[in-house]
Amino acid sequence: HWSFTQFTPAGMEIHPNNLTERVYTVVTVFFAMITFSSFTGSITANMTALRRLTSEPAEQQKHLFDYFTESGISAELGARIWGYLKANHYAHRRQVMRKDIHVLRFLPPTLSCDLNEELYVPVVKHCPFFYYYGIMHYSGLCAVCDTVVSEAQLTLGERLFQTGAAADNMFFVTAGVMDYEHHDSRLSATVSHLQWVSEPVLWMKWYYCGTLSARTSCQVVLVNSKKFRSVVSEQVPVLPFVKAYVVGFRSWMIAGEANEASTWKTDVWLQTAQLRQIAMDTLSDEAEHHKTGVRLSWFRQHSISGTGSMQCQMHE
């Protein structure tokens, strides 16, 4: 009880009676003062950080309601607008991205490559091409993620690209929801978590066919087309697979142009079954050409938390 009172602003009826006890008490009180101050300071710092995290929505809500009041907006409509913003904007808060952490610049190349592998392979593998490219040559996929891929963040309503602009990136949405608007209403679409846009830019000169804008706060992963072609061209073992996939992809586009009156003129190519079939046919053709078999059952999907990695064993 006496020890506890020395660490808090409390007291009790026990007091030092001689010099030794008084010295011991003074030392204990001094140590308790430092400890208690540190504990109080840490709580204050944490509370301040918590207020910073919640201050922006609260401040925006105040400004919004002040605006509604001055403009004569009804309380019912104001509540509906704030409910929508809270659910669709503040529900997708900005995450810390790699470029925000400056100390990561000091990582050696090997560690940096491993970090990019675990950051980006789980994202890009949802596109069938990258999935099967990883089967053929996992180290090549890691090289793509290490040197080609980057991140970006968009606020509510911000445009990622617009119609007619020269395309230079393929995009994967990693957080939030985006709206793709096309002059042909059949080709307008919603793009959400782990879906991708503008794959053709990797294979040909491409101009964006529509406008992609953020419905909520969003984060995207970018695959730069020029860097991608440079890196892939250096991966000689799988270059025939890439070339054959490009031929298959372009043939599919031409077939769409002939059969469906310009429905191929879109940036959203999410027909996963068809894309997977093109990649599998290409993979089978390459295996037959080299008289090898590809044991797909040995392939294990990449996992950040697990020890599995995307790889494929080629055997005679």
Side-chain angles (χ1 to χ4, degrees), residues 28-277:
T28 303
V29 170
F30 183 74
F31 177 74
M33 180 182 64
I34 296 175
T35 304
F36 185 74
S37 299
S38 300
F39 177 71
T40 305
S42 65
I43 293 178
T44 302
N46 290 332
M47 291 300 295
T48 301
L50 184 61
R51 288 193 190 96
R52 287 175 180 171
L53 290 175
T54 58
S55 62
E56 182 186 352
E59 183 179 354
Q60 290 296 320
Q61 183 181 20
K62 180 181 181 302
H63 291 329
L64 189 64
F65 285 149
D66 287 345
Y67 171 75
F68 289 159
T69 301
E70 294 172 359
S71 303
I73 305 299
S74 66
E76 185 270 338
L77 177 59
R80 284 168 50 200
I81 292 174
W82 174 249
Y84 174 84
L85 292 175
K86 187 176 180 181
N88 293 277
H89 176 58
Y90 291 108
H92 301 281
R93 297 293 297 152
R94 182 185 184 278
Q95 298 178 357
V96 177
M97 294 188 292
R98 174 174 176 171
K99 65 181 182 180
D100 298 325
I101 307 175
H102 302 296
V103 71
L104 291 179
R105 300 174 183 175
F106 301 106
L107 289 179
T110 52
L111 282 179
S112 180
C113 183
D114 290 342
L115 177 60
N116 289 329
E117 174 188 351
E118 295 199 355
L119 282 174
Y120 303 129
V121 169
V123 176
V124 301
K125 73 173 185 180
H126 286 83
C127 175
F129 167 78
F130 289 105
Y131 183 89
Y132 288 97
Y133 187 80
I135 291 178
M136 293 289 291
H137 193 47
Y138 184 67
S139 61
L141 181 60
C142 292
V144 169
C145 291
D146 188 42
T147 58
V148 175
V149 178
S150 60
E151 296 172 313
Q153 191 257 348
L154 294 92
T155 57
L156 176 66
E158 185 176 354
R159 288 183 179 180
L160 188 58
F161 59 75
Q162 59 184 11
T163 306
D168 51 8
N169 291 300
M170 177 183 180
F171 305 95
F172 289 83
V173 178
T174 56
V177 180
M178 306 194 74
D179 290 320
Y180 178 73
E181 298 178 1
H182 197 281
H183 65 85
D184 185 343
S185 59
R186 295 174 300 169
L187 301 179
S188 296
T190 298
V191 185
S192 56
H193 182 59
L194 295 180
Q195 292 183 325
W196 62 95
V197 177
S198 192
E199 182 180 350
V201 70
L202 301 182
W203 318 126
M204 62 195 77
K205 187 175 183 179
W206 187 257
Y207 293 89
Y208 295 121
C209 303
T211 299
L212 187 65
S213 56
R215 183 191 301 179
T216 67
S217 296
C218 296
Q219 282 187 268
V220 295
V221 164
L222 294 73
V223 181
N224 184 270
S225 59
K226 292 182 180 179
K227 293 181 180 179
F228 172 81
R229 287 191 284 268
S230 176
V231 171
V232 168
S233 64
E234 297 173 356
Q235 310 298 323
V236 178
V238 287
L239 198 53
F241 166 77
V242 176
K243 292 180 178 179
Y245 179 87
V246 174
V247 172
F249 189 91
R250 291 173 64 97
S251 298
W252 181 40
M253 292 182 68
I254 293 172
E257 180 181 13
N259 299 329
E260 299 187 30
S262 299
T263 56
W264 64 274
K265 294 181 180 179
T266 177
D267 301 291
V268 181
W269 295 81
L270 295 176
Q271 298 91 331
T272 307
Q274 291 91 328
L275 293 172
R276 184 182 294 114
Q277 189 61 50

Side-chain angles (χ1 to χ4, degrees), residues 135 294-301 308-315:
I135 291 178
V294 181
R295 295 196 300 177
L296 300 181
S297 61
W298 198 76
F299 171 69
R300 297 176 297 175
Q301 292 185 355
S309 62
M310 294 179 67
Q311 42 189 316
C312 178
Q313 185 180 31
M314 305 291 291
H315 65 287

